[in-house]
Amino acid sequence: MNVAELVKVINEITPLNFAFDDDKVGLLIGSEENDVSGILVAHDLENAVLEQLDKENINTVITYHPAPMKEVLNDRGEYIEELVGLSLEFENKDINVISLHTAQDVRNNGNADTLVELFNIKDVEVFANTHEDFGAGRIGTIDPIYNIDFLKLVEKNLNTKIIRTNAYFDNIEVINKLAVLPGSGTQFIDEIINEADVFLTGDISHRYFLLADDNGLGLVQVNHISTEIPGMSKFVDILANELNIKAVSYTHLRAHETEADLVCRLLIEKK
């Protein structure tokens, strides 16, 4: 199998054109003509991922987050994207890098829908749209739950102890309507601020905590990737099934996390 054939399979699972228009998805490093010696699925490009690729003699990695890049001005006065930092090491080692990012968030049965399943959200509507009926956010009703019990459910379902709430959240006795968005949902708060009791997402800036307080919306901010890992784990299972190969899991502890916050990496064995 070459990279082009792998990208075709990935595109059937996670249509890359569903991503936000300014997002960097698809083959970002490498060539479609390269043969695939093995596949590693990771959340980000990291040194630990590069070490694992070397160890297993694997030349292709599928990431959730895009490879680090920056916009530069070329000699013709045009702005182009250029690889930076660790991305250059992957390029120098001839590693193919395919990124999914928001295409994986919005797709049917993707990261957002996985959160719907985890929190048993009903009467679901989509927000934070990318294209037509596809969007990164979900909002709907849940079985009534006390606020303190909801935080326990978040900790259990998303396997994280990194949970932050706004002041208004403590005023909510029972939660009936929940909005969720994997990753960073700050820029989409306005779409659901008068629609939900609570908004669960990652990376909420301080001013939006204040905005939610003023408008009677409870906010629950968790570790950014905790909202994305469940859907990515499902992606690996689907991809392994499509390719008829075995998925093997391993764990990697990031420097800024505790033992309670292990980040799962999923390895697909070489054929």
Side-chain angles (χ1 to χ4, degrees), residues 57-104:
N57 193 27
I58 290 173
N59 73 342
T60 302
V61 59
I62 301 170
T63 63
Y64 171 73
H65 285 129
M69 305 176 81
K70 71 175 181 180
E71 194 175 68
V72 298
L73 196 63
N74 65 16
D75 295 337
R76 297 187 298 275
E78 302 167 332
Y79 282 100
I80 60 172
E81 297 289 344
E82 184 176 89
L83 298 176
V84 295
L86 195 58
S87 295
L88 294 173
E89 293 190 39
F90 280 79
E91 183 182 46
N92 291 337
K93 288 182 175 289
D94 295 322
I95 304 297
N96 307 297
V97 178
I98 304 165
S99 296
L100 307 178
H101 209 207
T102 57
Q104 170 65 17

Side-chain angles (χ1 to χ4, degrees), residues 2 9 15 32 83 85 101 111 125 139 171 181 240 255 260:
N2 63 23
V9 174
E32 289 189 343
L83 298 176
H101 209 207
N111 291 356
E125 297 180 12
I139 183 172
N171 297 331
L181 195 149

Side-chain angles (χ1 to χ4, degrees), residues 66-261:
M69 305 176 81
K70 71 175 181 180
E71 194 175 68
V72 298
L73 196 63
N74 65 16
D75 295 337
R76 297 187 298 275
E78 302 167 332
Y79 282 100
I80 60 172
E81 297 289 344
E82 184 176 89
L83 298 176
V84 295
L86 195 58
S87 295
L88 294 173
E89 293 190 39
F90 280 79
E91 183 182 46
N92 291 337
K93 288 182 175 289
D94 295 322
I95 304 297
N96 307 297
V97 178
I98 304 165
S99 296
L100 307 178
H101 209 207
T102 57
Q104 170 65 17
D105 290 336
V106 307
R107 77 170 178 88
N108 293 330
N109 207 30
N111 291 356
D113 282 341
T114 301
L115 294 178
V116 168
E117 294 175 9
L118 286 173
F119 292 95
N120 195 25
I121 304 176
K122 307 179 184 68
D123 303 318
V124 179
E125 297 180 12
V126 175
F127 68 98
N129 290 74
T130 56
H131 298 279
E132 298 180 355
D133 297 329
F134 293 92
R138 303 290 187 270
I139 183 172
T141 59
I142 59 174
D143 293 335
I145 184 171
Y146 291 112
N147 60 4
I148 189 66
D149 292 328
F150 179 73
L151 295 182
K152 293 177 182 176
L153 186 64
V154 170
E155 180 179 337
K156 175 185 175 183
N157 286 352
L158 300 183
N159 190 30
T160 182
K161 294 184 180 297
I162 303 174
I163 302 174
R164 178 189 178 200
T165 62
N166 65 330
Y168 183 79
F169 181 84
D170 293 334
N171 297 331
I172 303 172
E173 184 174 352
V174 176
I175 300 167
N176 294 284
K177 195 165 186 180
L178 176 66
V180 296
L181 195 149
S184 177
T186 289
Q187 65 268 44
F188 301 108
I189 285 180
D190 289 341
E191 294 188 30
I192 49 88
I193 200 162
N194 296 313
E195 303 295 331
D197 297 326
V198 169
F199 184 26
L200 169 66
T201 188
D203 295 352
I204 305 173
S205 63
H206 177 68
R207 72 183 184 93
Y208 281 98
F209 269 83
L210 299 178
L211 177 67
D213 285 339
D214 291 341
N215 287 272
L217 173 67
L219 294 181
V220 177
Q221 176 187 322
V222 294
N223 184 12
H224 182 103
I225 63 175
S226 297
T227 58
E228 302 159 345
I229 288 176
M232 283 299 294
S233 297
K234 183 182 293 186
F235 167 83
V236 170
D237 291 338
I238 296 171
L239 180 63
N241 183 66
E242 288 292 323
L243 298 178
N244 194 29
I245 52 180
K246 183 181 179 183
V248 181
S249 66
Y250 73 101
T251 55
H252 163 57
L253 183 64
R254 287 182 166 190
H256 67 275
E257 292 173 331
T258 68
E259 291 184 1
D261 299 300

